[in-house]
């Protein structure tokens, strides 16, 4: 039986839509299955690294946002700034980013349908989910990927001790063009300007902490916000750490957060997800085992810096070394800048 489409994408978040755009640019027919209405929101820091901005430009996606000139780490009286060396980043509300990607995907001819994956079945020539068959299926269904579990690629872990993210927007004029990372005792606060009068504040840390009380503990940040009006409810995501056995199972490929995730600490999830989407489409071929081996290799290359640097930083952040991270960045600006630039590519 002839498949309904070349590329069946489960999950129409930013990475799924980026994969749809990549597919259409490669001349493939594409169907995206997503249960939620556009635009889709998510708890995240909303700061796009320069590499992510460049990747979006390549796809023909130009979301409106606030220019970001670098990263600032703060703890107590210690402040470490690094300005991006080559190009600026962009603070973009997740809903704005999603809407821009959706418009581009539809413009290029991708079909977006409402639905859920349901049962995933495959044979030698096609894979079927949500009542649709495709030559390939890209699972872009996020941290808690149902497809990942079905095809046996998930690594199951206890949630105890794992980190979560919560985010809220405030009506406030940004006081800097930098992404600020305020380091607390066990929580980091990411402050991202996303418009001329809106900042997003994401808190990363252990489960079950009160957003308001935790935010109040960041005295300097609370002073900047003053009595700024909250624009939305607190939105959460997690647990952040997700691991996979591998990224391929026959004609199914895991892409984005579904393929594994370390932590949001380094703020480059979108950049890595876009790189994975490009690799997932670019390595498709008639020889399935060879094609999958090529994607596994490309996935490893695209995520290596993120996985190594983020894993190390998260380990330090959960140890007695945590108190020394910002002072070290102050004393060793060259090292701090090199790490930021490596992640910003």
């Amino acid at each position: 039986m002839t498949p309904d489409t070349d590329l069946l994408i489960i999950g129409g978040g930013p990475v799924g839509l980026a994969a749809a755009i990549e597919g259409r640019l490669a001349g493939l027919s594409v169907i995206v299955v997503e249960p939620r209405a556009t635009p889709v929101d998510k708890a995240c820091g909303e700061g796009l690294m320069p590499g992510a901005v460049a990747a979006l430009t390549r796809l023909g996606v130009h979301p409106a946002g606030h220019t970001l000139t670098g990263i600032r780490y703060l703890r107590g009286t210690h402040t470490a700034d690094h300005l991006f060396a080559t190009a600026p980043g962009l603070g973009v509300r997740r809903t704005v980013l999603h809407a821009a990607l959706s418009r581009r995907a539809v413009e290029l001819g991708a079909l977006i349908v409402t639905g859920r994956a349901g049962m995933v079945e495959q044979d030698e020539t096609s894979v079927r989910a949500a009542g649709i068959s495709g030559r390939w299926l890209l699972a872009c269904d996020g941290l808690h990927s149902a497809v990942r579990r079905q095809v046996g690629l998930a690594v199951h872990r206890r949630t105890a001790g794992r980190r979560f993210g919560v985010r809220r927007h405030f009506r406030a004029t940004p006081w800097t063009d930098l992404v600020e990372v305020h380091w607390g005792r066990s929580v980091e606060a990411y402050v991202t300007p996303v418009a001329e009068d809106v900042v997003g504040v994401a808190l990363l840390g252990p489960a079950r902490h009160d957003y308001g009380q935790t935010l109040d503990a960041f005295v300097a940040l609370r002073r900047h916000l003053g009595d700024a009006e909250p624009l939305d409810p607190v939105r959460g995501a997690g647990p952040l750490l997700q691991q996979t056995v591998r990224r391929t199972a026959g004609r199914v490929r895991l892409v984005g957060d579904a393929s594994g995730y370390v932590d949001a600490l380094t703020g480059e999830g979108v950049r890595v997800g876009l790189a994975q989407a490009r690799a997932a489409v670019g390595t498709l071929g008639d020889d399935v085992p060879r094609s999958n081996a090529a994607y596994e290799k490309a996935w490893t290359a695209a995520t290596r810096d993120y996985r190594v640097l983020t894993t190390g930083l998260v380990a330090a952040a959960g140890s007695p070394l945590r108190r020394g991270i910002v002072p070290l960045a102050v004393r060793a600006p060259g090292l701090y800048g090199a790490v930021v630039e490596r992640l910003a590519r």
Side-chain angles (χ1 to χ4, degrees), residues 64 133 156 161:
S133 61
H156 301 285

Side-chain angles (χ1 to χ4, degrees), residues 43-44 163-167 202-205 209 235-240:
C44 62
R163 286 159 51 89
F164 293 73
V166 286
R167 186 214 63 207
L203 305 180
L204 299 181
H209 63 83
R235 179 180 290 272
L240 300 178

